[in-house]
Amino acid sequence: MFTIGAASRLSGVHVETIRYYEREGLIPAPQRSAAGHRYFDDEAVATLKFIAHCRAARFSIRDIRSLLALRSQTDISCADGRRIGLSHVQALRDAIDSLTRLEEGLTQALKNCDPTRSDCAMIRELERDKVGPFRSGGPVSPF
């Protein structure tokens, strides 16, 4: 059994994040001592590592919940995992496309910046109300 601090060190997940995952139901409520201290077993630490790997891959909490459900099955369905993975790859591609458009817009605005002028082209572009090179038409990232 591990204290929350030890579970944090072993999993690489910050203590406050472990508490958040517990509140969100991603990890089961750990055993508690008479003083109320949380104690995590090896499986809980393994689950925290799994979640950390999912977060590093930018999976959403919703998708992690689904992946955890699949992981807990004795006969894991690759088709279900693949569906989640393919959807995530598309979300990553969309985010990359959006970021590329933003980079191009910022690069163009910076080309119009003249350090000798008192008016900054980049700031003026950011002030625009209409859709411009910095506006992707949607969120930058679904994560």
Side-chain angles (χ1 to χ4, degrees):
M1 299 299 275
F2 306 100
T3 64
I4 195 168
S8 173
R9 284 188 296 281
L10 290 167
S11 66
V13 176
H14 191 273
V15 168
E16 285 302 317
T17 306
I18 293 173
R19 291 183 183 121
Y20 168 73
Y21 291 159
E22 181 184 347
R23 283 190 308 273
E24 289 296 309
L26 296 179
I27 59 171
Q31 293 180 18
R32 291 196 180 249
S33 70
H37 299 288
R38 292 170 171 87
Y39 285 98
F40 297 85
D41 60 15
D42 290 329
E43 178 54 32
V45 171
T47 300
L48 287 169
K49 287 178 182 179
F50 179 81
I51 295 170
H53 294 158
C54 290
R55 291 302 292 156
R58 303 283 180 126
F59 279 98
S60 68
I61 294 297
R62 187 187 86 232
D63 283 345
I64 292 171
R65 189 171 277 113
S66 297
L67 291 168
L68 285 167
L70 290 174
R71 179 179 176 258
S72 69
Q73 296 175 3
T74 54
D75 187 21
I76 298 173
S77 168
C78 190
D80 291 337
R82 179 178 168 78
R83 180 186 48 75
I84 294 167
L86 288 172
S87 174
H88 185 61
V89 165
Q90 186 57 53
L92 288 172
R93 287 179 179 148
D94 293 346
I96 290 167
D97 290 345
S98 178
L99 288 170
T100 299
R101 287 190 304 276
L102 291 171
E103 177 195 25
E104 290 167 355
L106 179 58
T107 299
Q108 185 59 44
L110 289 171
K111 285 180 183 177
N112 295 329
C113 277
D114 180 352
T116 63
R117 291 183 52 195
S118 61
D119 188 44
C120 179
M122 182 188 70
I123 290 174
R124 295 300 157 244
E125 184 61 37
L126 290 167
E127 289 178 329
R128 289 175 55 182
D129 286 337
K130 67 179 189 153
V131 175
F134 297 125
R135 307 330 183 277
S136 64
V140 173
S141 172
F143 313 107

